[in-house]
Structures are given as structure tokens and as C-alpha cells.
């Protein structure tokens, strides 16, 4: 009963928040106001709070722009966890655009949709990401290209990392900062999740979303750690494969540290 009531409160709160912010966000997107970057951040802060997710931050996101974040990926909740730390936009596979509810939310988040299997479209897609970087938007690439079980980091894909260099073509900047980010889910109701319990938060592609979403929200108190690593300065002569490899190694180290129990106070 309590769990079902909690689900109802979460759904109602997010519905009301969405209806209030939706018209303003649509206008902000149409007129390209900077407010369009802030409103999704506000929505994610509400979502994080009502869902009972406590976010702990290690390190600091770089203030300098352009900024490209390369992160690991475990679940739909990564969007809320990372999106509640600072205003940013995501890069997602094109199928997400057609998903019920989530597709609309992704559009309002000003997501850049890409077709990972369409090799011939890579140049056009990196240019689209580069354009957003040059406009001052912080862009997030889930570089594994899929979701993991939360216990490890899968190999990073390198194709879209080239967007960092593409941003330099139409910019006066000499370099773009690429910063590795590790998201880890560590506790549920104060109890360490452990290797066997971490799938509570992870959402691999073969798991049905509806039941997983309900199970996650019924917990009521999930601790997540977002760790920011040392940024890499990418110039026109940088090797994107080396950049991706270095970020992957950094994310793997930070994930392991977070899962080992390095606790930090949650952000406000």
C-alpha cells in the first residue's frame, strides 16, 4: 500500500511539474533562450528529490566551455542523476525519440539523437553535437553505447568523440575540454547494494522498463555517486581513440573507487 502510494505521489508530482514547465520550455527552445538549458535541470532536481535519489558528487565539473562529458551508462536514472548536478544535454540513440513519455522528455531536454549503426551519418551527427558545444551547451555522451550492469565499465565507442574536434572547425577556440564522468549506484535505504544487488538500479536492454521502474521507485532511497575526473584538452591534432581510451580508464578507476565505499555528503 505504502509503495503504491509512493508511486502515485512520484507520478503526480512529475506530471504537475511537467505541465507547469512545458509551455515555458517550448517557447525557450523556439527562441533559443538560455533558459532552455536551465529548465530541464530544474525538472531533474524535482525528479531526483521526489524519487528519493541522493546524489553525492566527487570532483568538480569544469566551468570552461566548450565542455564534452564522457560517462558510463547503467539506467534511465542516469539522466536524472547527472542532469540534476548541472544544466546539460544528452546524446541518445534515435529510438529514444519514439518512446512514450521518455521520448518527449528527451526532446524537452534538448537531446541530440543519433543513429549509431549509420556509419555514413557519423560526420553529420558529430557536426550537430559540435554546433551545440559551440553554442555553450554541455553535452553528455554515454560512450559505452549501451547500458551495463553497474558493476563494470564497457569499452568506450570512439566515433562520436570526434565531435570535440569538429567543434573547433567553427570556433575561435584552440581546444575543447573532454571530462570523464563516472556514475555509481552504491546504497539502497542505507544498505550497500553490492555486486548482486546493483541490478536494482541498472537497466540492461533486455529488462522490461515498466517493472524495473516500479521496483526502483518503490525503494524510496537510493544513493548515487557522480565522480568528475581530470579534463582532457582536445585539439585539432588529438587522437580521438586515445582520448576515448584515457576517459574509459579514468571512468573505470572512479567507478571502482565509488563502489569501494568512498562516501561523500549529498549535494543540496
Amino acid at each position: 500500500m505504502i509503495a503504491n502510494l509512493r508511486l502515485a505521489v512520484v507520478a503526480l508530482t512529475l506530471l504537475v511539474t511537467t505541465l507547469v514547465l512545458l509551455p515555458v520550455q517550448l517557447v525557450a527552445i523556439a527562441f533559443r533562450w538560455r533558459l532552455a538549458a536551465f529548465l530541464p535541470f530544474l525538472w531533474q532536481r524535482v525528479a531526483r528529490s521526489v524519487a528519493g535519489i541522493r546524489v553525492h558528487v566527487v570532483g568538480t565539473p569544469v566551468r570552461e566551455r566548450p565542455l564534452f562529458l564522457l560517462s558510463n551508462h547503467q539506467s534511465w536514472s542516469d539522466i536524472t542523476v547527472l542532469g540534476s548536478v548541472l544544466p546539460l544535454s544528452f546524446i541518445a540513440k534515435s529510438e529514444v525519440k519514439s518512446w512514450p513519455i521518455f521520448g518527449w522528455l528527451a526532446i524537452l531536454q534538448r537531446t541530440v539523437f543519433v543513429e549509431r549503426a549509420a556509419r555514413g551519418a557519423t560526420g553529420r551527427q558529430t557536426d550537430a553535437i559540435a554546433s551545440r558545444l559551440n553554442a555553450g551547451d554541455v553535452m553528455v555522451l554515454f560512450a559505452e553505447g549501451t547500458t551495463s550492469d553497474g558493476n563494470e565499465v564497457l569499452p568506450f565507442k570512439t566515433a562520436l568523440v570526434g565531435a570535440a574536434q569538429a567543434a573547433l572547425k567553427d570556433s575561435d577556440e584552440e581546444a575543447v575540454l573532454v571530462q570523464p564522468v563516472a556514475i555509481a549506484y552504491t546504497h539502497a535505504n542505507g544498505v550497500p547494494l553490492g555486486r548482486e544487488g546493483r541490478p536494482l538500479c541498472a537497466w540492461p536492454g533486455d529488462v522490461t522498463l515498466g517493472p524495473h521502474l516500479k521496483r526502483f521507485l518503490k525503494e524510496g532511497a537510493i544513493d548515487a555517486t557522480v565522480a568528475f575526473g581530470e579534463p582532457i584538452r582536445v585539439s585539432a591534432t588529438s587522437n580521438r581513440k586515445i582520448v576515448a581510451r584515457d576517459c574509459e580508464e579514468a571512468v573505470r578507476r572512479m567507478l571502482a573507487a565509488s563502489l569501494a565505499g568512498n562516501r561523500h555528503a549529498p549535494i543540496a
Side-chain angles (χ1 to χ4, degrees):
M1 176 66 73
I2 295 178
N4 289 333
L5 178 60
R6 173 174 176 72
L7 289 175
V9 170
V10 171
L12 181 59
T13 301
L14 293 183
L15 175 61
V16 171
T17 303
T18 301
L19 292 177
V20 170
L21 297 181
L22 175 61
V24 183
Q25 179 66 354
L26 289 175
V27 173
I29 291 175
F31 287 93
R32 298 183 180 181
W33 295 341
R34 294 307 302 169
L35 183 64
F38 177 77
L39 291 181
F41 167 70
L42 178 61
W43 191 97
Q44 300 292 6
R45 296 280 289 211
V46 173
R48 185 195 72 194
S49 178
V50 73
I53 304 173
R54 293 176 294 197
V55 178
H56 310 257
V57 176
V58 181
T60 306
V62 175
R63 292 183 177 274
E64 188 178 339
R65 301 293 182 265
L67 177 61
F68 197 19
L69 303 181
L70 265 58
S71 174
N72 62 321
H73 191 25
Q74 300 154 69
S75 175
W76 55 268
S77 54
D78 296 342
I79 305 294
T80 293
V81 168
L82 190 51
S84 67
V85 175
L86 74 161
L88 42 75
S89 292
F90 296 90
I91 301 163
K93 59 185 180 181
S94 57
E95 301 95 288
V96 173
K97 194 172 185 179
S98 62
W99 289 359
I101 302 177
F102 282 88
W104 261 103
L105 292 176
I107 292 171
L108 294 173
Q109 182 89 34
R110 300 163 66 237
T111 298
V112 173
F113 298 99
V114 299
E115 298 179 30
R116 291 184 179 271
R119 293 186 178 274
T122 300
R124 173 175 51 80
Q125 292 172 162
T126 56
D127 285 345
I129 299 166
S131 176
R132 293 287 300 277
L133 288 169
N134 283 331
D137 293 319
V138 178
M139 301 301 299
V140 180
L141 174 65
F142 292 124
E144 294 160 299
T146 185
T147 50
S148 72
D149 64 0
N151 290 306
E152 61 181 353
V153 176
L154 302 176
F156 277 15
K157 309 294 184 183
T158 65
L160 295 178
V161 177
Q165 289 174 307
L168 297 174
K169 293 187 301 184
D170 300 315
S171 170
D172 294 330
E173 301 291 339
E174 295 183 355
V176 172
L177 291 179
V178 176
Q179 188 170 25
V181 181
I183 303 172
Y185 295 91
T186 60
H187 295 71
N189 293 295
V191 179
L193 286 170
R195 176 169 288 272
E196 299 300 323
R198 204 153 288 117
L200 164 69
C201 301
W203 179 49
D206 57 348
V207 175
T208 304
L209 176 59
H212 174 268
L213 182 62
K214 291 180 180 179
R215 184 182 173 208
F216 181 97
L217 294 176
K218 282 181 178 179
E219 284 297 323
I222 300 292
D223 284 270
T225 296
V226 177
F228 291 90
E230 288 296 319
I232 298 172
R233 190 170 293 273
V234 177
S235 68
T237 59
S238 298
N239 187 313
R240 62 178 171 82
K241 292 185 178 181
I242 294 177
V243 172
R245 183 197 65 194
D246 290 347
C247 284
E248 178 187 330
E249 292 176 354
V251 171
R252 186 171 283 111
R253 289 194 300 269
M254 292 187 293
L255 177 67
S258 295
L259 296 184
N262 296 353
R263 302 294 298 278
H264 294 259
I267 62 176

